[in-house]
Amino acid sequence: MVSGLRGLTEGDGVARAGLTTERLVRAGAELADEVGFDQVTVSALARRFDVKVASLYSHLKSSQDLRTRIALLALEELADRAADALAGRAGRDALIAFADVYRDYAREHPGRYAAARLRLDPETAAASAGGRHAQMTRAILRGYDLTEPDRTHAVRLLGSVFHGYVSLELADGFSYSAPDPQETWAWILDRLDTMLRDWPPA
């Protein structure tokens, strides 16, 4: 009887806090930006709302489930931003806009950005916004004279360059030497555009 009353009390606490799965996931995403994606757990989220850990399991299966949901949220947010940025743009302008979206999102939301790199199981990945990212990258490359398999090579190249630069920048890898990271970023994008335009025929 005591355990039943305790469970009722915990459930009432969650209800009073107005917690839903969506709100918990967004709070988890905010926590990831504050303390790092690796530090996000159901326990940490429960402390944030001052409720019992057990009371959150009606909304979340586990810490891994929470992290997966944050990853899906991040992929969706990033895809929406990229789509807005690409509207009406092509070629060099599209390339720069697309790259800037990734860099800006990573700097604004480092925890979410890390979440977007989470390895998902095939079924979850297929249903995620990850496919939109690949489609947009290929759409940008339609502005350049590339055919397969070079187009796929270029997709992977862009992803590697964007993620590599952003990751190093987030780790303060460019903070102690000149030139300014923004100057290097613009230089890299300019060289990528030149390389893609001058890509030799397959």
Side-chain angles (χ1 to χ4, degrees):
M1 187 69 171
V2 174
S3 62
L5 288 173
R6 181 180 178 184
L8 180 59
T9 301
E10 291 175 358
D12 287 347
V14 172
R16 284 197 299 273
L19 300 184
T20 63
T21 302
E22 181 181 359
R23 186 179 176 197
L24 288 170
V25 172
R26 291 195 173 276
E30 292 170 5
L31 185 62
D33 289 336
E34 294 169 12
V35 303
F37 181 58
D38 291 341
Q39 302 303 313
V40 175
T41 63
V42 173
S43 296
L45 200 56
R47 288 193 296 272
R48 193 177 187 90
F49 287 102
D50 194 24
V51 297
K52 300 290 186 180
V53 175
S55 65
L56 298 188
Y57 285 119
S58 60
H59 297 289
L60 301 164
K61 296 177 184 177
S62 63
S63 292
Q64 183 60 34
D65 178 42
L66 171 61
R67 285 191 285 267
T68 297
R69 290 175 183 271
I70 294 171
L72 295 174
L73 172 66
L75 287 169
E76 191 73 34
E77 288 180 342
L78 195 46
D80 288 344
R81 282 196 184 195
D84 289 342
L86 288 177
R89 291 187 168 95
R92 175 189 171 86
D93 288 344
L95 174 67
I96 292 174
F98 190 69
D100 283 345
V101 162
Y102 276 81
R103 183 175 179 231
D104 291 345
Y105 186 83
R107 293 194 295 179
E108 292 171 26
H109 302 293
R112 282 171 162 91
Y113 181 77
R117 318 308 301 183
L118 182 69
R119 184 179 181 86
L120 304 173
D121 66 74
E123 183 177 353
T124 303
S128 76
R132 292 174 61 195
H133 293 268
Q135 290 168 4
M136 284 185 281
T137 307
R138 288 183 175 276
I140 290 169
L141 292 174
R142 283 200 290 270
Y144 299 93
D145 189 21
L146 299 179
T147 57
E148 292 295 354
D150 288 351
R151 187 173 295 160
T152 297
H153 294 325
V155 168
R156 294 171 180 174
L157 172 66
L158 294 182
S160 299
V161 172
F162 298 162
H163 178 60
Y165 192 89
V166 165
S167 297
L168 289 170
E169 188 174 30
L170 289 177
D172 290 329
F174 309 129
S175 299
Y176 307 105
S177 62
D180 183 81
Q182 176 58 39
E183 183 179 338
T184 302
W185 178 250
W187 183 90
I188 287 172
L189 297 183
D190 183 65
R191 296 308 183 275
L192 283 174
D193 172 65
T194 299
M195 179 191 65
L196 292 170
R197 281 189 286 107
D198 295 341
W199 199 288

